[in-house]
Amino acid sequence: MNYKIRSIRADEWPRAKALRLVSLQDPVAHLAFLETYEQAIARPDSFWQERAAGAAEGASGAQQIIAEGPDGEWVGTLVVLVEEAGSTDWAGFPVERKQGHVVGVFVRPECRGIGLTEVLFDSGLEWAWAQGVERVRLIVHEENGRAQRFYRKIGFAPTGVTVPLQERPGESELEFALVRDEVG
């Protein structure tokens, strides 16, 4: 595999925006992301600049990791957010311990199945553990079976926490987590 896995730089916000827009056009984007393409495309450049700066190399609260192909094209990404104990998460639940939260996982369809997602997760987990988190979690739509199978394969397990989607009544997401003590 001839791909470079690395954190983004703040000045790469146009590329981060472009990959996000591609991800939001994926056929399962409605299950994988809480944002739509229309919402994202309408955001001003300042939003994308701030988002990239907050998750760029050297940031401690979040990190966006990308897979860069041999030709320089960004073909995959994920973001790890650090959630501090005593805070409240995006869904309004209390955060009981310092943890990482993986969001925005995407690999271009033509690059799936070659191990890139695993390598992105390895890098994201390595960064999260270095931040001193006790566990890393992610939230996955109850109907996104493909993603759930992958997360189980790499060691994440359902925690039993269900997050109802307020903007989509009747739909829920499930929390999966990997606890540091359980990592081999």
Side-chain angles (χ1 to χ4, degrees):
M1 186 168 24
N2 197 16
Y3 292 86
K4 184 176 182 180
I5 307 300
R6 65 175 179 84
S7 296
I8 67 165
R9 295 184 310 272
D11 66 348
E12 294 178 309
W13 67 267
R15 296 184 79 188
K17 173 185 175 181
L19 189 57
R20 177 65 174 184
L21 294 175
V22 168
S23 74
L24 292 171
Q25 295 174 73
D26 190 88
V28 297
H30 68 287
L31 295 179
F33 306 110
L34 296 177
E35 176 181 48
T36 66
Y37 176 84
E38 292 73 24
Q39 290 167 326
I41 197 78
R43 295 187 187 280
D45 285 349
S46 60
F47 170 85
W48 299 103
Q49 292 163 351
E50 290 170 22
R51 185 172 175 159
E57 186 175 51
S60 60
Q63 200 74 182
Q64 182 173 3
I65 298 166
I66 55 103
E68 187 174 11
D71 59 357
E73 180 182 29
W74 287 12
V75 297
T77 186
L78 63 71
V79 176
V80 182
L81 309 172
V82 173
E83 298 174 327
E84 295 291 341
S87 65
T88 303
D89 73 8
W90 64 274
F93 292 107
V95 175
E96 296 175 4
R97 53 187 160 169
K98 187 175 183 177
Q99 62 190 10
H101 186 163
V102 176
V103 299
V105 178
F106 176 74
V107 172
R108 291 179 185 270
E110 65 273 18
C111 296
R112 293 178 187 160
I114 62 170
L116 276 181
T117 312
E118 289 91 335
V119 176
L120 283 166
F121 264 87
D122 287 346
S123 185
L125 289 169
E126 181 180 321
W127 180 84
W129 302 140
Q131 304 311 303
V133 303
E134 295 179 36
R135 75 177 192 146
V136 175
R137 71 176 184 148
L138 52 86
I139 308 293
V140 59
H141 195 282
E142 63 190 347
E143 293 178 17
N144 195 343
R146 184 183 81 196
Q148 289 181 42
R149 285 188 297 280
F150 173 77
Y151 298 142
R152 287 176 195 269
K153 181 178 128 188
I154 63 169
F156 283 77
T159 65
V161 173
T162 301
V163 181
L165 292 174
Q166 294 178 350
E167 56 283 337
R168 299 185 212 156
E171 294 184 38
S172 296
E173 293 194 313
L174 311 172
E175 181 186 68
F176 280 57
L178 181 63
V179 177
R180 180 149 193 176
D181 294 345
E182 298 170 0
V183 177

